[in-house]
Amino acid sequence: MAVVPLETLAFLLFALVTVGASLGVVLVRDVWHSALLLGAALLSVAVHYVMLSAEFLAAMQVLVYVGGVLVLITFAVMLVRRDEDVDTEEVTA
């Protein structure tokens, strides 16, 4: 029985996280959950950069994409999202 190195197991784990989160971004109907899954996918890509000994690229991935793009998407979702609980009937005064 062959022994699998820990690096290979870690790569396979984060590859599954990346693919699963990326599929979730496309398949989930709620925009907020899609944005959170995008953050998980981008963070797992940063882990792949660390595993390749590209720490600068991993830091830029986290700062620019996770920090910048995800915050921008979050603010856009918060500003555009409608309240579905509020009645649309007009109040007569």
Side-chain angles (χ1 to χ4, degrees):
M1 187 166 156
V3 176
V4 179
L6 287 178
E7 291 98 11
T8 305
L9 289 176
F11 175 80
L12 289 175
L13 173 72
F14 283 105
L16 287 175
V17 169
T18 304
V19 170
S22 301
L23 282 173
V25 169
V26 177
L27 298 176
V28 170
R29 286 199 173 276
D30 189 23
V31 178
W32 177 247
H33 289 112
S34 180
L36 291 176
L37 286 169
L38 178 65
L42 292 174
L43 281 174
S44 64
V45 169
V47 171
H48 285 291
Y49 286 143
V50 169
M51 292 172 70
L52 290 170
S53 298
E55 289 84 11
F56 179 75
L57 282 178
M60 290 302 106
Q61 175 82 15
V62 171
L63 287 175
V64 173
Y65 288 109
V66 178
V69 173
L70 202 58
V71 168
L72 180 68
I73 290 173
T74 302
F75 279 125
V77 167
M78 288 170 48
L79 289 173
V80 174
R81 192 171 203 172
R82 293 185 318 172
D83 229 2
E84 296 174 0
D85 296 337
V86 177
D87 266 344
T88 58
E89 295 178 13
E90 291 183 26
V91 177
T92 57

